[in-house]
């Protein structure tokens, strides 16, 4: 991030106080040349700041929308989500969910096209998994038995604890948030089709670049991530930027370093070799969406049990906040 700034003086109360006026620019294309784009600002930023460090804090607040500086900005906030509703019913009880390596269907590449493992994160993984299941069906023509989209966790520096990465739980076992991970959906797809899947990912964001649950589920566990082999050095990074441009140029991209912040309109590009994915437990797979009215057919919801019956391992983490194994409870 770079700033062009100058100082004015505010003499409303007779005192001279420096004010910073900032024009923020964000690296747009990390895969090629460092292009620049002016930040999306609803109004010019003007904060009284005592130092350059404070100016950076103010800049981040304006660019990324902290509650302190953006309260009353007129952004509509959705009422409630399925997850927040269920969490409220559990009061102060913490949640649990399991994640470990798992078995994927055996897929043959056609025409010498490499099959690659990738993942996408965009808030709560329930809705995101459904959208990528539909993408596998429409783009690749896959049947239920061949679907590879799985809810999981990735992006944390700590990796796993004894092979486990779990949802928040009362036993505090391998908590994915404390390990620095975010919710993602992983899949195995032909490399030649990555850009098509990247387009589907970018479509998840609204016209302003906000994810569907931007003002519901917030925090590092819900940050935007894209995991690809090779990270920013991969040609797939350029395909990701092209997909964003093709769908309205709503996102900025940054190199993921692990344990990254939750920044609206920014997606972190992760190297899957350095930041692998850990599969979420069974009850988080093929779940209804996060909105209270976002219910999917039983033919979709039952896929998790079908894969488990075939031997897929969804881990040994605690089974939800209360041991129910439904909606995080």
């Amino acid at each position: 991030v770079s700033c062009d700034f100058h100082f004015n003086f505010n003499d409303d109360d007779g005192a001279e106080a420096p004010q910073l006026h900032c024009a923020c620019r964000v690296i747009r294309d990390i895969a090629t040349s460092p292009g620049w784009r002016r930040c999306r600002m609803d109004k010019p930023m003007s904060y009284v700041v005592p130092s350059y460090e404070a100016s950076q804090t103010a800049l981040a607040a304006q660019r990324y929308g902290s509650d302190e500086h953006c309260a009353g900005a007129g952004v509509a906030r959705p009422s409630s989500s399925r997850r927040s509703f269920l969490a409220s019913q559990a009061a102060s009880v913490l949640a649990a969910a399991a994640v470990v390596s798992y078995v994927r269907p055996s897929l043959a590449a056609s025409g010498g096209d490499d099959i690659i493992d990738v993942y996408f994160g965009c808030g709560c993984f329930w809705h995101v998994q459904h959208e990528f299941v539909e993408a596998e069906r429409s783009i690749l023509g896959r049947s239920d038995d061949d679907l590879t989209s799985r809810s999981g966790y990735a992006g944390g520096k700590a990796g796993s604890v004894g092979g486990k990465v779990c949802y928040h739980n009362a036993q505090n076992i391998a908590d994915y948030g404390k390990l620095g991970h975010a919710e993602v959906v992983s899949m195995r797809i032909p490399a030649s089709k990555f850009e098509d899947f990247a387009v589907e990912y970018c479509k998840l964001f609204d016209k302003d670049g906000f994810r569907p649950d931007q003002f519901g589920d917030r925090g590092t566990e819900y940050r935007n991530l894209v995991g690809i082999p090779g990270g920013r050095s991969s040609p797939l990074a350029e395909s990701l930027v092209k997909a964003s441009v093709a769908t309205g140029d709503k996102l900025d991209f940054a190199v993921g370093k692990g344990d990254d912040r939750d920044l609206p309109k920014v997606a972190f590009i992760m190297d899957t070799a350095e930041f692998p994915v850990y599969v979420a437990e069974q009850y988080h797979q093929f779940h209804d969406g996060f909105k209270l009215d976002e219910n999917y057919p039983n033919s979709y919801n039952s896929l998790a049990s079908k894969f488990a019956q075939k031997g897929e391992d969804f881990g040994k983490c605690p089974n939800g906040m209360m041991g129910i194994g439904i909606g995080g409870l």
Side-chain angles (χ1 to χ4, degrees):
V1 177
S2 174
C3 269
D4 299 324
F5 60 89
H6 63 273
F7 287 96
N8 284 346
F9 289 89
N10 180 359
D11 58 0
D12 292 343
D13 57 359
E16 291 188 345
Q19 286 189 320
L20 175 69
H21 293 263
C22 232
C24 166
R25 304 169 189 266
V26 177
I27 295 178
R28 175 183 180 188
D29 185 351
I30 67 166
T32 55
S33 60
W36 298 92
R37 171 167 39 175
R38 188 172 292 275
C39 287
R40 306 175 183 89
M41 290 189 180
D42 295 329
K43 51 190 177 183
M45 186 179 84
S46 180
Y47 298 123
V48 176
V49 292
S51 66
Y52 177 69
E53 180 178 359
S55 73
Q56 290 183 307
T57 301
L59 168 63
Q62 176 67 23
R63 172 66 179 94
Y64 301 119
S66 75
D67 293 336
E68 178 183 357
H69 292 287
C70 295
V75 180
R77 280 162 165 65
S79 55
S80 63
S81 69
R82 185 189 306 273
R83 172 169 287 180
S84 60
F85 172 77
L86 292 169
S88 67
Q89 303 307 301
S92 60
V93 183
L94 296 176
V99 277
V100 293
S101 300
Y102 58 97
V103 178
R104 290 293 185 87
S106 177
L107 302 173
S110 60
D113 194 0
D114 291 336
I115 295 294
I116 57 173
D117 291 281
V118 300
Y119 57 78
F120 297 91
C122 176
C124 175
F125 47 25
W126 293 344
H127 170 79
V128 177
Q129 183 181 24
H130 178 267
E131 298 307 295
F132 279 112
V133 163
E134 292 303 306
E136 286 193 79
R137 287 170 171 161
S138 62
I139 297 172
L140 303 177
R142 286 178 175 169
S143 65
D144 286 354
D145 290 340
D146 292 329
L147 294 172
T148 65
S149 294
R150 299 291 187 273
S151 296
Y153 304 93
K157 294 179 180 178
S160 65
V161 177
K164 291 183 178 181
V165 179
C166 304
Y167 199 71
H168 313 304
N169 59 91
Q171 300 174 54
N172 199 29
I173 297 175
D175 185 302
Y176 84 103
K178 293 181 179 179
L179 293 173
H181 294 298
E183 298 187 11
V184 301
V185 173
S186 63
M187 64 211 67
R188 303 193 71 201
I189 59 175
S192 64
K193 297 296 183 180
F194 173 77
E195 190 167 328
D196 294 323
F197 278 80
V199 165
E200 295 304 312
Y201 174 68
C202 294
K203 287 180 180 178
L204 294 172
F205 299 85
D206 69 16
K207 62 181 180 64
D208 297 313
F210 294 117
R211 60 179 180 256
D213 62 349
Q214 186 72 61
F215 304 107
D217 291 328
R218 288 182 286 179
T220 57
E221 293 96 332
Y222 305 105
R223 64 188 184 269
N224 308 320
L225 300 180
V226 179
I228 52 179
R232 68 167 293 178
S233 63
S234 170
L236 298 174
E238 183 174 356
S239 297
L240 178 62
V241 174
K242 288 181 180 178
S244 178
V245 172
T247 53
D249 203 11
K250 300 172 288 188
L251 293 174
D252 295 317
F253 298 96
V255 179
K257 298 180 180 179
D259 300 356
D260 301 290
R261 296 170 56 196
D262 178 20
L263 302 178
K265 309 179 186 181
V266 176
F268 293 96
I269 299 179
M270 317 299 296
D271 186 341
T272 53
E274 185 177 0
F275 299 99
V277 66
Y278 300 86
V279 68
E281 66 190 300
Q282 183 175 332
Y283 78 86
H284 271 311
Q285 306 295 335
F286 307 100
H287 197 288
D288 287 333
F290 54 81
K291 295 181 180 178
L292 293 176
D293 61 349
E294 193 175 358
N295 300 313
Y296 304 130
N298 184 62
S299 58
Y300 174 82
N301 298 142
S302 63
L303 288 173
S305 61
K306 290 180 179 178
F307 282 117
Q309 289 170 7
K310 292 181 179 180
E312 187 163 332
D313 184 7
F314 293 108
K316 302 296 188 293
C317 285
N319 194 26
M321 291 190 295
M322 297 179 174
I324 299 175
I326 299 176
L329 299 177

